[in-house]
Amino acid sequence: MSETTPTGIMVMAYGTPETLADVEPYYTHIRGGRKPSPEQLADLIGRYEKVGGQTPLYELTKGVADQLRARLEHEFPGRYRVYLAMKHWHPYIAEVVPQIAADGIREVVGVVLAPHYSRYSLEGYRSYTEKALAQLDRPFSFRFVEHWHDHPLFRALITDRIRAALAEFPPEAQGQVAVLFSAHSLPEKIVAMGDPYVAQLRESAAAISALVGLREHRFCFQSAAPTPEPWLGPDIVDYLQTLHGEGVRYVLSVPFGFVAEHLEVLWDIDTEAQAKARALGMTLRRIRMPNADPEFVEVIRAVVLESAGS
Protein backbone atom coordinates (compact mmCIF):
# COMPACT_ATOMS: atom_id res chain seq x y z
CA MET A 1 0.00 0.00 0.00
CA SER A 2 1.09 3.54 -0.70
CA GLU A 3 2.74 5.49 2.08
CA THR A 4 2.01 8.90 0.53
CA THR A 5 -1.72 8.54 -0.12
CA PRO A 6 -3.97 7.23 2.66
CA THR A 7 -5.45 3.78 2.27
CA GLY A 8 -9.23 3.77 2.46
CA ILE A 9 -11.08 1.45 4.83
CA MET A 10 -14.75 0.97 3.95
CA VAL A 11 -16.71 -0.45 6.88
CA MET A 12 -19.95 -1.93 5.53
CA ALA A 13 -23.19 -3.19 7.06
CA TYR A 14 -26.67 -4.11 5.92
CA GLY A 15 -28.43 -0.84 6.75
CA THR A 16 -31.63 -0.18 8.64
CA PRO A 17 -34.59 2.23 8.23
CA GLU A 18 -34.45 5.27 10.46
CA THR A 19 -38.24 5.67 10.78
CA LEU A 20 -41.30 3.55 10.06
CA ALA A 21 -41.87 5.68 6.95
CA ASP A 22 -38.49 4.46 5.68
CA VAL A 23 -39.46 0.79 5.87
CA GLU A 24 -41.11 0.67 2.42
CA PRO A 25 -38.21 2.22 0.43
CA TYR A 26 -35.76 0.16 2.49
CA TYR A 27 -37.66 -3.06 1.79
CA THR A 28 -37.97 -2.10 -1.88
CA HIS A 29 -34.21 -1.68 -2.13
CA ILE A 30 -33.65 -5.10 -0.54
CA ARG A 31 -36.01 -6.54 -3.17
CA GLY A 32 -33.99 -5.05 -6.03
CA GLY A 33 -36.48 -2.26 -6.74
CA ARG A 34 -39.65 -4.38 -6.46
CA LYS A 35 -42.12 -3.01 -3.93
CA PRO A 36 -43.28 -5.44 -1.25
CA SER A 37 -46.92 -6.49 -1.10
CA PRO A 38 -49.12 -4.64 1.42
CA GLU A 39 -49.05 -7.79 3.60
CA GLN A 40 -45.25 -8.06 3.49
CA LEU A 41 -44.88 -4.37 4.29
CA ALA A 42 -47.35 -4.51 7.17
CA ASP A 43 -45.53 -7.51 8.65
CA LEU A 44 -42.13 -5.81 8.57
CA ILE A 45 -43.48 -2.52 9.92
CA GLY A 46 -45.16 -4.48 12.70
CA ARG A 47 -41.86 -6.04 13.69
CA TYR A 48 -40.12 -2.67 13.82
CA GLU A 49 -43.00 -1.26 15.88
CA LYS A 50 -42.61 -4.07 18.40
CA VAL A 51 -38.88 -3.35 18.86
CA GLY A 52 -39.41 0.39 19.34
CA GLY A 53 -39.74 1.67 15.77
CA GLN A 54 -36.11 1.27 14.77
CA THR A 55 -32.95 -0.65 15.60
CA PRO A 56 -29.58 0.76 16.68
CA LEU A 57 -27.73 -0.85 13.74
CA TYR A 58 -26.69 2.44 12.12
CA GLU A 59 -25.44 3.97 15.37
CA LEU A 60 -23.59 0.78 16.29
CA THR A 61 -21.94 0.49 12.88
CA LYS A 62 -21.01 4.17 12.97
CA GLY A 63 -19.58 3.58 16.43
CA VAL A 64 -17.33 0.84 15.09
CA ALA A 65 -16.18 3.04 12.20
CA ASP A 66 -15.57 6.06 14.45
CA GLN A 67 -13.53 4.07 16.96
CA LEU A 68 -11.59 2.35 14.20
CA ARG A 69 -10.81 5.74 12.65
CA ALA A 70 -9.57 7.08 15.98
CA ARG A 71 -7.39 4.03 16.69
CA LEU A 72 -5.80 3.95 13.26
CA GLU A 73 -5.15 7.69 13.30
CA HIS A 74 -3.50 7.38 16.70
CA GLU A 75 -1.30 4.47 15.57
CA PHE A 76 -0.66 5.52 11.98
CA PRO A 77 -1.28 9.27 11.60
CA GLY A 78 -2.53 10.15 8.11
CA ARG A 79 -2.12 6.61 6.78
CA TYR A 80 -5.76 5.46 6.76
CA ARG A 81 -9.13 7.02 5.97
CA VAL A 82 -12.20 5.20 7.31
CA TYR A 83 -15.60 5.38 5.59
CA LEU A 84 -19.01 3.99 6.56
CA ALA A 85 -21.22 2.46 3.85
CA MET A 86 -24.52 0.57 3.94
CA LYS A 87 -25.91 -2.02 1.56
CA HIS A 88 -29.60 -1.12 1.72
CA TRP A 89 -29.87 2.32 3.33
CA HIS A 90 -28.06 5.61 3.68
CA PRO A 91 -25.18 6.12 3.37
CA TYR A 92 -25.49 3.73 0.42
CA ILE A 93 -22.35 2.11 -0.97
CA ALA A 94 -23.15 3.87 -4.28
CA GLU A 95 -23.01 7.22 -2.44
CA VAL A 96 -19.80 6.53 -0.55
CA VAL A 97 -17.65 5.14 -3.41
CA PRO A 98 -17.62 8.45 -5.38
CA GLN A 99 -16.80 10.30 -2.15
CA ILE A 100 -13.79 8.05 -1.56
CA ALA A 101 -12.57 8.64 -5.10
CA ALA A 102 -13.09 12.40 -4.76
CA ASP A 103 -10.90 12.34 -1.66
CA GLY A 104 -8.06 11.04 -3.84
CA ILE A 105 -7.92 7.58 -2.27
CA ARG A 106 -6.40 5.07 -4.66
CA GLU A 107 -6.53 1.83 -2.65
CA VAL A 108 -9.39 0.64 -0.46
CA VAL A 109 -10.02 -2.33 1.81
CA GLY A 110 -13.69 -3.21 2.25
CA VAL A 111 -14.89 -5.19 5.28
CA VAL A 112 -18.46 -6.23 5.98
CA LEU A 113 -19.51 -6.50 9.61
CA ALA A 114 -20.57 -10.12 9.07
CA PRO A 115 -18.05 -12.84 9.93
CA HIS A 116 -19.10 -15.67 7.61
CA TYR A 117 -19.16 -15.62 3.82
CA SER A 118 -21.91 -16.60 1.42
CA ARG A 119 -22.06 -15.67 -2.21
CA TYR A 120 -25.80 -15.23 -1.69
CA SER A 121 -25.41 -12.44 0.86
CA LEU A 122 -21.93 -10.94 0.97
CA GLU A 123 -21.34 -10.76 -2.77
CA GLY A 124 -23.96 -8.03 -2.87
CA TYR A 125 -21.56 -5.69 -1.07
CA ARG A 126 -18.81 -6.35 -3.58
CA SER A 127 -21.26 -6.06 -6.48
CA TYR A 128 -22.63 -2.68 -5.34
CA THR A 129 -19.07 -1.44 -4.90
CA GLU A 130 -17.94 -2.63 -8.33
CA LYS A 131 -21.00 -1.09 -10.00
CA ALA A 132 -20.22 2.23 -8.37
CA LEU A 133 -16.56 1.95 -9.36
CA ALA A 134 -17.58 1.35 -12.98
CA GLN A 135 -19.21 4.79 -13.01
CA LEU A 136 -15.99 6.57 -12.06
CA ASP A 137 -13.53 8.08 -14.50
CA ARG A 138 -10.70 7.02 -12.22
CA PRO A 139 -11.75 4.00 -10.11
CA PHE A 140 -9.68 3.02 -7.11
CA SER A 141 -8.26 -0.43 -6.38
CA PHE A 142 -10.65 -2.38 -4.15
CA ARG A 143 -9.70 -5.29 -1.89
CA PHE A 144 -12.69 -7.11 -0.38
CA VAL A 145 -12.37 -9.08 2.88
CA GLU A 146 -14.55 -12.13 2.19
CA HIS A 147 -14.71 -13.50 5.73
CA TRP A 148 -13.12 -13.28 9.14
CA HIS A 149 -15.00 -15.95 11.09
CA ASP A 150 -11.74 -17.79 11.71
CA HIS A 151 -9.84 -14.82 13.09
CA PRO A 152 -8.51 -15.69 16.57
CA LEU A 153 -9.67 -12.38 18.05
CA PHE A 154 -13.25 -12.91 16.86
CA ARG A 155 -13.35 -16.42 18.26
CA ALA A 156 -11.87 -15.22 21.54
CA LEU A 157 -14.48 -12.46 21.76
CA ILE A 158 -17.42 -14.84 21.29
CA THR A 159 -15.79 -17.29 23.70
CA ASP A 160 -15.63 -14.59 26.36
CA ARG A 161 -19.25 -13.61 25.76
CA ILE A 162 -20.41 -17.21 26.11
CA ARG A 163 -18.50 -17.71 29.35
CA ALA A 164 -19.88 -14.48 30.80
CA ALA A 165 -23.46 -15.40 29.85
CA LEU A 166 -23.18 -18.95 31.21
CA ALA A 167 -22.01 -17.56 34.55
CA GLU A 168 -25.24 -15.55 34.82
CA PHE A 169 -27.49 -18.61 34.89
CA PRO A 170 -28.65 -19.65 38.38
CA PRO A 171 -26.63 -22.23 40.34
CA GLU A 172 -29.11 -25.02 39.63
CA ALA A 173 -28.65 -24.46 35.86
CA GLN A 174 -24.86 -24.74 35.83
CA GLY A 175 -23.81 -27.61 33.59
CA GLN A 176 -27.37 -27.93 32.27
CA VAL A 177 -27.41 -25.08 29.72
CA ALA A 178 -27.70 -25.95 26.03
CA VAL A 179 -25.52 -23.55 24.05
CA LEU A 180 -27.34 -22.81 20.81
CA PHE A 181 -25.41 -21.15 17.98
CA SER A 182 -27.46 -19.52 15.23
CA ALA A 183 -26.99 -17.61 12.00
CA HIS A 184 -29.17 -16.13 9.30
CA SER A 185 -30.87 -18.77 7.19
CA LEU A 186 -30.39 -18.69 3.42
CA PRO A 187 -32.09 -20.63 0.61
CA GLU A 188 -31.19 -24.34 0.68
CA LYS A 189 -30.05 -24.13 -2.92
CA ILE A 190 -26.76 -22.58 -1.83
CA VAL A 191 -25.62 -25.98 -0.55
CA ALA A 192 -25.96 -27.56 -3.99
CA MET A 193 -24.13 -24.54 -5.41
CA GLY A 194 -21.09 -25.34 -3.26
CA ASP A 195 -21.42 -22.19 -1.17
CA PRO A 196 -19.03 -22.24 1.83
CA TYR A 197 -21.50 -20.63 4.24
CA VAL A 198 -22.76 -23.67 6.14
CA ALA A 199 -19.30 -25.25 6.40
CA GLN A 200 -17.85 -21.99 7.76
CA LEU A 201 -20.64 -21.72 10.33
CA ARG A 202 -20.22 -25.27 11.59
CA GLU A 203 -16.43 -24.98 11.70
CA SER A 204 -16.68 -21.69 13.54
CA ALA A 205 -19.20 -22.99 16.09
CA ALA A 206 -17.12 -26.09 16.78
CA ALA A 207 -13.91 -24.06 17.23
CA ILE A 208 -15.54 -21.59 19.61
CA SER A 209 -17.15 -24.41 21.59
CA ALA A 210 -13.76 -26.03 22.00
CA LEU A 211 -12.31 -22.75 23.30
CA VAL A 212 -15.14 -22.44 25.81
CA GLY A 213 -14.61 -26.05 26.86
CA LEU A 214 -18.15 -27.22 26.10
CA ARG A 215 -18.91 -30.92 25.98
CA GLU A 216 -21.36 -30.27 23.19
CA HIS A 217 -23.08 -27.44 21.37
CA ARG A 218 -26.17 -27.05 19.22
CA PHE A 219 -26.61 -25.24 15.93
CA CYS A 220 -29.61 -23.84 14.09
CA PHE A 221 -30.72 -21.07 11.74
CA GLN A 222 -33.02 -18.10 12.10
CA SER A 223 -34.65 -15.24 10.18
CA ALA A 224 -35.64 -17.17 7.04
CA ALA A 225 -37.48 -15.02 4.51
CA PRO A 226 -41.11 -15.88 3.68
CA THR A 227 -40.54 -17.21 0.16
CA PRO A 228 -41.86 -20.33 -1.60
CA GLU A 229 -38.41 -21.93 -1.84
CA PRO A 230 -37.02 -23.95 1.11
CA TRP A 231 -34.54 -22.26 3.44
CA LEU A 232 -31.86 -23.76 5.67
CA GLY A 233 -33.07 -25.13 8.98
CA PRO A 234 -33.93 -26.00 11.60
CA ASP A 235 -35.30 -22.62 12.60
CA ILE A 236 -34.50 -21.51 16.13
CA VAL A 237 -38.15 -21.42 17.22
CA ASP A 238 -38.71 -24.98 16.02
CA TYR A 239 -35.43 -26.10 17.56
CA LEU A 240 -36.49 -24.83 20.97
CA GLN A 241 -39.38 -27.27 20.74
CA THR A 242 -36.90 -30.05 19.94
CA LEU A 243 -34.73 -29.14 22.92
CA HIS A 244 -37.78 -29.06 25.17
CA GLY A 245 -38.62 -32.57 24.00
CA GLU A 246 -35.16 -33.65 25.12
CA GLY A 247 -35.78 -32.26 28.59
CA VAL A 248 -33.64 -29.13 28.19
CA ARG A 249 -34.76 -26.30 30.46
CA TYR A 250 -31.99 -23.73 29.99
CA VAL A 251 -30.74 -22.36 26.67
CA LEU A 252 -28.05 -19.82 25.82
CA SER A 253 -28.56 -18.20 22.42
CA VAL A 254 -25.32 -17.42 20.56
CA PRO A 255 -26.30 -15.56 17.36
CA PHE A 256 -22.70 -15.50 16.14
CA GLY A 257 -23.73 -14.95 12.54
CA PHE A 258 -24.54 -11.36 13.56
CA VAL A 259 -22.48 -8.77 15.38
CA ALA A 260 -25.05 -6.13 16.32
CA GLU A 261 -28.47 -5.74 17.87
CA HIS A 262 -30.67 -5.29 14.82
CA LEU A 263 -34.03 -6.77 13.83
CA GLU A 264 -32.79 -10.36 13.54
CA VAL A 265 -31.66 -10.20 17.16
CA LEU A 266 -34.22 -7.87 18.73
CA TRP A 267 -37.21 -9.53 17.04
CA ASP A 268 -36.25 -13.07 16.04
CA ILE A 269 -34.46 -13.91 19.29
CA ASP A 270 -35.44 -11.40 21.97
CA THR A 271 -39.11 -11.39 20.96
CA GLU A 272 -40.15 -14.44 18.92
CA ALA A 273 -37.79 -17.09 20.32
CA GLN A 274 -38.14 -15.68 23.83
CA ALA A 275 -41.94 -16.00 23.62
CA LYS A 276 -41.60 -19.60 22.47
CA ALA A 277 -39.23 -20.40 25.33
CA ARG A 278 -41.60 -18.89 27.89
CA ALA A 279 -44.49 -20.86 26.45
CA LEU A 280 -42.44 -24.04 26.87
CA GLY A 281 -41.39 -23.16 30.42
CA MET A 282 -37.75 -22.78 29.35
CA THR A 283 -35.22 -20.10 30.32
CA LEU A 284 -33.64 -18.50 27.26
CA ARG A 285 -30.80 -16.01 27.50
CA ARG A 286 -28.40 -14.75 24.85
CA ILE A 287 -24.86 -13.49 24.78
CA ARG A 288 -24.13 -9.79 24.70
CA MET A 289 -23.64 -8.78 21.09
CA PRO A 290 -20.28 -7.32 19.96
CA ASN A 291 -22.08 -4.11 18.87
CA ALA A 292 -19.56 -1.26 19.03
CA ASP A 293 -17.67 -2.57 22.05
CA PRO A 294 -13.92 -1.81 22.09
CA GLU A 295 -13.06 -5.53 21.93
CA PHE A 296 -15.01 -5.85 18.68
CA VAL A 297 -13.38 -2.75 17.21
CA GLU A 298 -10.05 -4.45 17.94
CA VAL A 299 -11.21 -7.47 15.90
CA ILE A 300 -12.04 -5.29 12.89
CA ARG A 301 -8.83 -3.32 13.30
CA ALA A 302 -6.80 -6.53 13.11
CA VAL A 303 -8.77 -7.81 10.12
CA VAL A 304 -8.35 -4.65 8.04
CA LEU A 305 -4.69 -4.17 8.91
CA GLU A 306 -3.91 -7.73 7.91
CA SER A 307 -5.76 -7.24 4.62
CA ALA A 308 -3.99 -3.93 4.03
CA GLY A 309 -0.63 -5.59 4.62
CA SER A 310 0.26 -3.48 7.64
Side-chain angles (χ1 to χ4, degrees):
M1 294 289 184
S2 170
E3 294 186 4
T4 56
T5 303
T7 294
I9 305 294
M10 187 157 64
V11 176
M12 296 179 281
Y14 198 79
T16 187
E18 298 162 50
T19 68
L20 293 178
D22 296 329
V23 174
E24 183 172 10
Y26 166 75
Y27 204 173
T28 300
H29 193 272
I30 291 173
R31 292 167 50 84
R34 295 174 293 110
K35 284 193 173 186
S37 69
E39 295 77 19
Q40 290 172 322
L41 181 60
D43 178 67
L44 189 58
I45 288 176
R47 295 183 182 205
Y48 276 103
E49 286 177 333
K50 288 183 174 72
V51 299
Q54 61 175 197
T55 75
L57 178 63
Y58 173 76
E59 288 77 11
L60 293 171
T61 309
K62 184 176 183 297
V64 173
D66 289 347
Q67 291 180 68
L68 179 63
R69 182 181 300 111
R71 290 192 187 193
L72 292 178
E73 185 59 28
H74 176 74
E75 291 179 84
F76 313 99
R79 191 167 167 184
Y80 295 97
R81 192 85 59 88
V82 177
Y83 298 85
L84 174 65
M86 298 291 187
K87 187 179 181 183
H88 293 301
W89 197 246
H90 303 285
Y92 289 109
I93 292 170
E95 300 169 340
V96 176
V97 167
Q99 176 192 341
I100 295 174
D103 288 344
I105 306 299
R106 304 306 311 143
E107 299 184 53
V108 175
V109 172
V111 60
V112 182
L113 299 189
H116 307 86
Y117 174 84
S118 169
R119 287 187 289 272
Y120 191 89
S121 55
L122 260 66
E123 273 307 308
Y125 293 90
R126 178 152 46 193
S127 176
Y128 279 122
T129 303
E130 290 176 348
K131 286 178 183 176
L133 286 171
Q135 303 299 313
L136 300 177
D137 292 332
R138 203 169 164 229
F140 50 75
S141 170
F142 181 64
R143 184 179 302 174
F144 184 67
V145 179
E146 288 193 349
H147 66 85
W148 39 272
H149 73 282
D150 53 353
H151 197 285
L153 290 182
F154 172 67
R155 290 184 172 175
L157 172 60
I158 302 302
T159 296
D160 289 345
R161 297 293 163 98
I162 292 172
R163 286 175 175 158
L166 286 173
E168 293 175 357
F169 279 85
E172 65 271 19
Q174 297 303 318
Q176 308 298 317
V177 181
V179 177
L180 181 56
F181 290 82
S182 66
H184 204 302
S185 181
L186 293 175
E188 282 184 4
K189 65 185 180 185
I190 70 166
V191 177
M193 295 163 55
D195 193 284
Y197 184 62
V198 176
Q200 284 190 5
L201 288 168
R202 292 194 176 280
E203 173 203 336
S204 187
I208 293 168
S209 295
L211 288 173
V212 177
L214 300 176
R215 292 192 306 272
E216 66 170 354
H217 67 279
R218 306 300 186 98
F219 177 78
C220 65
F221 290 94
Q222 60 173 94
S223 315
T227 65
E229 63 182 319
W231 284 55
L232 295 168
D235 180 80
I236 188 170
V237 173
D238 298 330
Y239 201 63
L240 287 173
Q241 183 76 54
T242 299
L243 291 173
H244 179 262
E246 295 177 11
V248 173
R249 293 180 55 204
Y250 304 97
V251 180
L252 175 63
S253 168
V254 184
F256 74 143
F258 310 94
V259 298
E261 290 178 343
H262 47 61
L263 198 64
E264 285 81 358
V265 173
L266 298 176
W267 171 260
D268 296 337
I269 294 177
D270 293 357
T271 306
E272 209 169 31
Q274 191 63 254
K276 179 68 172 181
R278 282 196 300 269
L280 293 171
M282 302 169 75
T283 298
L284 173 68
R285 297 186 178 181
R286 71 162 167 85
I287 63 167
R288 187 161 60 92
M289 301 304 290
N291 288 331
D293 294 353
E295 311 95 280
F296 180 57
V297 176
E298 183 60 26
V299 173
I300 300 304
R301 172 196 166 278
V303 168
V304 298
L305 288 181
E306 288 167 17
S307 183
S310 298

